[in-house]
Structures are given as C-alpha cells and as structure tokens.
Amino acid sequence: MIDVIVVGAGPTGLMLAGELRLHGVRVVVLDRLTEPSGHSRGRGLHARSVELMDQRGLLERFLAVSEKFQVGGFFGGIHTPWPERLDTAHPYGLTTPQHITERLLGEHARERGAEIRRGCEVAGLSQDEHGVTVELADGTHLRSRYVVGCDGGRSTVRKRLGVGFPGEPARVETLLGDMEATEDPATIAAVVTEVRKTQLRFGAVANADGNEGVFRFVVPADGVAEDRSAETTFDEFRKQLRATAGTDFGVHSPRWLSRFGDATRQAERYRAGRVLLAGDAAHIHPPTGGQGLNLGVQDAFNLGWKLAAEVDGWAPPGLLDSYHAERHPVGAAVLENTRAQITLLGTDPGAAALRKLFARLMDFDEVNGYVTGMITAVGVRYDLGDGHELLGRRLRDVRLKRGRLYELLRAGRGLLLDQTGRLTAAGWADRVDHVVDVSEELDVPAVLLRPDGHVAWAGEDQRDLEGRLATWFGAPSASRGTPRAEPV
Ligand SMILES: Cc1cc2nc3c(=O)[nH]c(=O)nc-3n(C[C@H](O)[C@H](O)[C@H](O)COP(=O)(O)OP(=O)(O)OC[C@H]3O[C@@H](n4cnc5c(N)ncnc54)[C@H](O)[C@@H]3O)c2cc1C
C-alpha cells in the first residue's frame, strides 16, 4: 500500500514529498494538471525558506537561478533597509519565480524517489481506522495510510473532510496579467509612480519572470466576481487599466491572466484522523508581504518528519498532533499581519495617516527587525513549554570547528550538537545524530535539534536530555550509536 498520498503538486506538496522521501516513505503526489502551469503567482523566498533549502542541500540550485534581495520590513508596501540585527546567517530573500521553485522542488522530490502523477484530479475521499481511500475524477480509487491535502485554497480535500474554513470573504479583487506593451518602460514606470500615490493596488514590473519585454501588471478589478472561477478576459484587463491609469499602455500579446482577492480564511483543524491539510488548503490571505508560498513550504517542513515517524512506527504520542498545535498559530499570525497590511494599504485619509506613522516607526531598527523577523518567519517560535530561551526557535546556521550546522541537517534526522563531549543519545542513534563539535557562535553547552531545525532542548544534563529525546523521538531502541565526531 502507498504510505502517503499528497494531493497537489504545488510548492507545498512537492516540498512535503521530498521531506517524506528523506525517510523512505512511499509517497505518491497527485495533481489534476497534466503539466505544470508554468506561471508564477509567488515571486520569491524569504529568509526562513532560504534556510530550509540550505538545511536540505538545495540552496545552490536556488542561488543559480535567483537574485538575492535585501528589503527590510516588506510590510504594507513600506520598504526599509535590511535591519542591522536579524538572527540568520542568510540575511536576504531570493527572487525565485514560483514555477521555478516548483520545478526545483519537483526535481528534488523525484530524485529522492517520489512518484508524481499528473492528470489525476481527486474528487472525494473516505477514511477508516487503517487508511484512506481516495476517489479520482475518472472514477478510479487509490488507497494509502495517510493523505495530505496540499490542493490549494479551494481544496477539495478540505471540503470533503467537512473541515470549517472560517474567516472573511473577499471584499476587493485584483487582476493580474503578464503581457507586452507598446508604451516605453520609462513612461509606464512614471505613470505607475503617479497612480500609486493614491492607489497602491496598481503596479507594473518589467521583465516578468525574467521574460524580456513582458510586464506583470496588477490592477484593481471592477468589484468582486460572483463566480470565483470566472476567467479574466483581456478586454476586461485593458478596461481596468484605462479606468485606473487613464491608459492601457498599448498592451498586447497576453501570456497569462488571473485574478486574486483578499479573502482571509484558515482551516479550523489541520488534521482529521488520517488526513492532514497544508499550504493554501489550510490558509488563504492576500499576497501582501509575499508570504503564502513560504508559509506552505514551512508547513511541509514541519509536517514531513512527523508524518514519516508515524508511518515508520516510532512517533511518540501526540507527535502528529503537534503539527496543528505548532502551525495553526503560525498561520493565524500571518493572517493577522496581512489584515494589518491591507488596512495600511487603504486609500482613505485615516489609512494614509497610519501608514505615515508606521513608516516612521520602521526607521527604528528594532521595529524593522521585529517586522522583518515576522515576514521572513525567522522569528517563529513554537510553544514547547518553559525552558531555555532557544527552546522552540529554529537555530540559525553557525560555523563549527568542522563544517557548519546546517550541513549536518541534510538527512532530515534529529541532531544532538554537543559541545561538552559528555552527553549521549545512544538509544536514539537510529533517529538522532550525535555530533561533538564546538562553535564560537553558540553560547549553550548542547542543543537537541528536531529534523526541522527547531530547538527541542538546550542544556547539559543527561537525564533532562533523555526526557526530551523521548518526547520528540519516542522510546530508545536497543541499538547503540557512537558520536559522528571525536570529543574535542
Ligand atoms: C498575485 C499573487 C502573488 C503572490 N506572491 C507570493 C509571493 O511573492 N510569495 C509567496 O510566498 N506567496 C505568494 N503568493 C501565494 C502563493 O502563490 C501561494 O500561497 C502558493 O501557491 C500556495 O502553494 P500550495 O502548494 O499550497 O498551493 P497551490 O500552489 O495552489 O497548488 C495546489 C496544487 O493542487 C492542485 N490541485 C488542486 N485541486 C486538486 C484536486 N482536486 N486534485 C488534484 N490536484 C489538485 C493544483 O493543480 C495545484 O497544482 C502569491 C499569490 C498571488 C495570488
């Protein structure tokens, strides 16, 4: 039997498939599209996602096809310099178009042995105590032990589960299109600057997705479409350009037309028995701050090793439920910050005044650092109870005497980084690497990292450590391991 069916080959589903394959889980990804769309809604990775790629040895691939950017705040369109102190060894984002992110994550998942089946639309599912039966639109069925719905904001999996999706419906809608224009780029830029003084939902970016001569325009739609799946027409697009900018710039040769709203909703539960939800299937919000793709990829990073542990049979009680417990509050916080950004982007005098004030506050490096930590997700801390200040945070990459921390996380296993040489994780050697090494950048005797790089324990007491090992990695096994490096 298949261990896990992942529904949806977007960034979330592909990241998850790669994570599951690190642990040998038999995974099949189903997507209704016969080919990847080749279009990009998302245009980049924030610092925490850059860190994830480094932790899995994928960063070089992303760097080869992306530019680095350093924009602080990135909040409500208020761009500031990068804050002086941000707790990351990767203080930048990457301008990677979404379709390239999907290609790279798909290649990685396939190289690891994931099967990606296209042209397979999931129409329904049912579960019992042993597994889940997935019904495809062509009437055939597939069975697996678990299913993860990564099938986007209109998730069929979420709907068939009957999981509530409370929040606010769209109040405004924006058209998005990639197309050529006869007007010269300098004139387009000047018009955009002028219009944006009063309408921040209008914009144009040259060389969309690296295509020379192609502009990505966004322009307010005329109201909210009743039929959310209605196609955007080129005529409609040109009409809205004229209504907003007074000109349609002589646009022609559209490559892609789409629309998005500001609906803000979150699934009540990320787990219903053997079925889980991740990415846009679990949360939707306006794209302000460029967080959605990043949030989904990070959901997958949190879920992958936990689901693999469950499949493998060593998951301690509550491990799989900790996915909802940890990621639901993170998703809720992103929804909150996008609500705040939408208010700041308003065109009424109150919003303009708030925006002015907020822009001045962002001049304080501490404020800028806080907001940037929020948008880039390096500030995320899971509630793992009381303890060391690092507990629940992901650890930044640090240089060790032999190599660097993130290189030690590539296999997706737990890691005991031991600067004392006195500790042992011998009973967990099949799940946790024990590395004895030192770092001038790490002010704690030892840390236990989960496979997602979050700190599960920090200290030097062996009994305390064993308690935490059991909490996160289950019961010790009989096999005994040895440290990967000699004591220093
Ligand atoms: C204009 C715009 C700009 C954005 N910019 C950014 C940005 O800069 N940064 C950022 O982080 N985010 C951005 N986002 C958000 C980002 O695009 C999404 O959050 C992201 O695509 C979510 O990924 P996902 O894999 O969860 O879902 P999706 O990308 O929606 O993928 C879902 C997949 O499931 C498949 N599917 C759906 N239903 C079924 C079914 N029944 N059976 C089988 N397959 C199915 C679909 O074909 C699709 O391939 C932006 C969004 C918009 C609209």
Side-chain angles (χ1 to χ4, degrees):
M1 179 156 64
I2 301 166
D3 291 322
V4 178
I5 291 176
V6 174
V7 186
T12 306
L14 294 170
M15 184 79 199
L16 180 62
E19 287 298 293
L20 291 168
R21 283 306 303 158
L22 278 182
H23 303 277
V25 172
R26 284 164 299 185
V27 57
V28 173
V29 183
L30 304 175
D31 200 289
R32 67 177 169 202
L33 299 180
T34 49
E35 291 293 331
S37 78
H39 301 304
S40 293
R41 288 180 285 162
R43 298 216 319 270
L45 297 185
H46 283 306
R48 178 58 187 144
S49 299
V50 173
E51 290 183 344
L52 302 196
M53 300 313 159
D54 191 17
Q55 287 176 4
R56 291 299 181 260
L58 293 172
L59 185 55
E60 292 306 316
R61 299 183 193 194
F62 278 87
L63 287 173
V65 292
S66 316
E67 300 286 328
K68 289 183 181 178
F69 66 84
Q70 276 198 320
V71 182
F74 213 84
F75 194 81
I78 302 169
H79 290 192
T80 60
W82 190 263
E84 280 169 28
R85 287 182 302 274
L86 194 72
D87 179 34
T88 177
H90 293 292
Y92 56 87
L94 290 178
T95 57
T96 322
Q98 180 163 339
H99 77 273
I100 294 185
T101 296
E102 290 173 12
R103 176 168 61 75
L104 295 178
L105 293 178
E107 283 168 9
H108 171 67
R110 273 203 190 86
E111 284 161 17
R112 295 249 161 218
E115 188 186 339
I116 301 170
R117 294 187 199 167
R118 293 199 160 273
C120 295
E121 178 168 354
V122 170
L125 77 170
S126 59
Q127 57 177 315
D128 54 48
E129 60 177 306
H130 303 294
V132 190
T133 302
V134 170
E135 184 193 337
L136 300 182
D138 65 6
T140 58
H141 293 84
L142 278 175
R143 187 142 167 97
S144 60
R145 295 169 69 188
Y146 292 88
V147 166
V148 187
C150 303
D151 50 343
R154 293 176 201 159
S155 170
T156 301
V157 174
R158 187 190 66 236
K159 288 176 191 158
R160 295 293 176 271
L161 282 176
V163 168
F165 202 40
E168 302 96 61
R171 289 161 303 165
V172 292
E173 210 164 64
T174 306
L175 307 184
L176 173 158
D178 292 351
M179 56 197 74
E180 294 179 42
T182 51
E183 192 60 87
D184 69 278
T187 306
I188 295 177
V191 173
V192 168
T193 305
E194 191 55 33
V195 174
R196 279 182 62 84
K197 285 180 184 163
T198 52
Q199 178 50 273
L200 287 160
R201 288 170 48 223
F202 175 67
V205 180
N207 298 334
D209 281 0
N211 294 316
E212 212 172 311
V214 177
F215 286 86
R216 156 88 39 110
F217 286 100
V218 288
V219 60
D222 182 16
V224 178
E226 270 185 31
D227 175 5
R228 303 287 298 125
S229 57
E231 298 268 313
T232 305
T233 66
F234 189 44
D235 278 349
E236 181 187 6
F237 207 99
R238 279 195 305 206
K239 182 171 152 253
Q240 288 313 113
L241 280 177
R242 286 193 293 269
T244 308
T247 165
D248 65 11
F249 305 109
V251 289
H252 61 94
S253 313
R255 309 284 165 90
W256 180 45
L257 296 169
S258 185
R259 60 173 76 231
F260 60 92
D262 64 343
T264 305
R265 296 181 180 278
Q266 188 175 27
E268 278 169 346
R269 292 179 286 151
Y270 283 16
R271 178 183 181 190
R274 291 177 168 273
V275 187
L276 299 110
L277 298 169
D280 276 17
H283 37 68
I284 54 165
H285 52 81
T288 34
Q291 300 168 90
L293 179 155
N294 288 270
L295 186 61
V297 162
Q298 291 157 25
D299 284 347
F301 208 63
N302 182 290
L303 175 59
W305 70 278
K306 295 174 180 175
L307 188 51
E310 196 71 31
V311 167
D312 217 22
W314 60 260
L319 184 69
L320 195 52
D321 283 328
S322 74
Y323 167 62
H324 170 94
E326 293 174 0
R327 294 304 297 174
H328 193 276
V330 172
V334 170
L335 263 56
E336 281 289 278
N337 87 44
T338 54
R339 286 184 181 106
Q341 291 186 73
I342 291 296
T343 302
L344 283 176
L345 287 168
T347 48
D348 59 290
L354 196 58
R355 202 179 151 72
K356 236 181 188 167
L357 173 64
F358 205 87
R360 281 206 298 272
L361 288 173
M362 295 280 274
D363 286 341
F364 294 95
D365 193 61
E366 221 168 305
V367 176
N368 189 14
Y370 174 81
V371 173
T372 307
M374 181 172 73
I375 295 290
T376 58
V378 299
V380 166
R381 180 181 195 176
Y382 299 140
D383 182 4
L384 304 191
D386 295 334
H388 196 277
E389 56 163 327
L390 289 176
L391 193 64
R393 294 190 187 283
R394 102 289 175 247
L395 206 56
R396 59 179 284 155
D397 190 25
V398 293
R399 277 187 302 277
L400 303 167
K401 210 166 168 191
R402 292 176 283 262
R404 58 187 184 91
L405 177 67
Y406 280 13
E407 288 169 347
L408 301 175
L409 294 170
R410 302 248 153 116
R413 292 157 53 83
L415 176 71
L416 172 62
L417 178 60
D418 177 7
Q419 303 200 87
T420 73
R422 293 191 304 272
L423 297 165
T424 174
W428 291 267
D430 52 341
R431 286 151 277 171
V432 178
D433 291 326
H434 178 193
V435 172
V436 180
D437 204 339
V438 289
S439 170
E440 286 176 6
E441 301 168 61
L442 198 56
D443 190 19
V444 63
V447 281
L448 174 65
L449 298 185
R450 310 189 316 187
D452 59 2
H454 280 256
V455 177
W457 171 84
E460 53 188 331
D461 182 76
Q462 177 66 31
R463 276 172 66 97
D464 201 21
L465 165 65
E466 286 177 8
R468 284 296 173 153
L469 280 163
T471 300
W472 291 106
F473 297 98
S477 61
S479 65
R480 301 184 65 77
T482 47
R484 265 172 44 188
E486 289 305 309
V488 284

